[in-house]
Amino acid sequence: MSNRRKFIGSSITGLAGLTLLPAINTFASENNAYQRQTTGKPKLRFALASDIHYGQEGTNSEFHTTNLIKWLNEDHTKNHFDLVIINGDLVHNRIDLLPEIKKSYLDKLSVPYYTIPGNHDMANAQIWRNVFGYDDKYSFEHGDIAFVLANTADTNGDYMCPDNAFIKSALDKLTDKKIVFAVLHVPPVQWLEAEKKTFLNCPETVALLHAYPNVKAVFHGHDHLLDGVRYTNKLPHFFDSHIGGDWGTDYRGYRVVEIADDNSIYTYQVNASQNPVLNNNKF
């Protein structure tokens, strides 16, 4: 996996039409303290975490899941979260563990949380509704900011493009919102040749997201080695590393997004497990 990381890191900056925002290593230091770049209280502050892989054999998934809840609750106590999004792969090929991770871990978050399936959750709308009380694709609003979340895999764990009819219907209803964020576990675009087997190729989805000016960013999980930003045209796609699993970045962490009163958006990756490879972006 380290070779794959090297390939991605060395190849991505040379791609035509792909721009990376500057990386600034000003993240978690001792006691998970980091310097926030916004002043005053944001009108919305939320976190995204993905790829817990609870129940994966050969990993200490209980430890990693416990850490996630601890890290997010500590961050909430210090800085306040309005909500948390868990962006897929909550469990590892064990849909029977979804009720357990909800009751024993996620329900212990001190803030409202939202989830969406990943390919290892092997879930459809009925399964997700039975566990979490809502479908595998939905939208929700927080004042003049809205979120559209959709499933990108089937019950066999095979990747599938999200339901574009649903996304269009949701976005049509949210045109009055200042900011809309899309949340898709598996990215709908293959930036690199090597990603043909790991990412989706959904040009209709990408075109749809580009068609609405208030869609400001898309958030993905899935690739545990990615923790930065990529672009389709001017639309940023952000990744958030991983929490569990047996591969990925050396550290385990999550992404924070803060929206100021003037609707400027600041996002940064939190190095929750205290290893020193991070980035931040303002867009």
Side-chain angles (χ1 to χ4, degrees), residues 90 98-99 101-102 106-107 113 115-116 127-135:
L90 285 66
L98 284 170
I101 194 173
K102 177 185 185 297
L106 298 179
D107 284 352
Y113 71 88
T115 63
I116 200 71
I127 292 170
W128 218 249
R129 192 183 312 117
N130 288 343
V131 177
F132 294 102
Y134 45 80
D135 288 350

Side-chain angles (χ1 to χ4, degrees), residues 114-173:
Y114 301 84
T115 63
I116 200 71
N119 51 297
H120 284 281
D121 295 307
M122 298 182 171
N124 57 18
Q126 181 177 348
I127 292 170
W128 218 249
R129 192 183 312 117
N130 288 343
V131 177
F132 294 102
Y134 45 80
D135 288 350
D136 64 341
K137 54 183 183 291
Y138 59 99
S139 64
F140 67 91
E141 303 173 21
H142 193 285
D144 59 359
I145 301 167
F147 299 79
V148 177
L149 303 88
N151 195 357
T152 52
D154 62 21
T155 54
N156 294 317
D158 295 326
Y159 311 156
M160 66 178 187
C161 292
D163 185 337
N164 291 324
F166 159 75
I167 292 176
K168 184 179 188 307
S169 175
L171 293 177
D172 283 342
K173 296 174 183 176

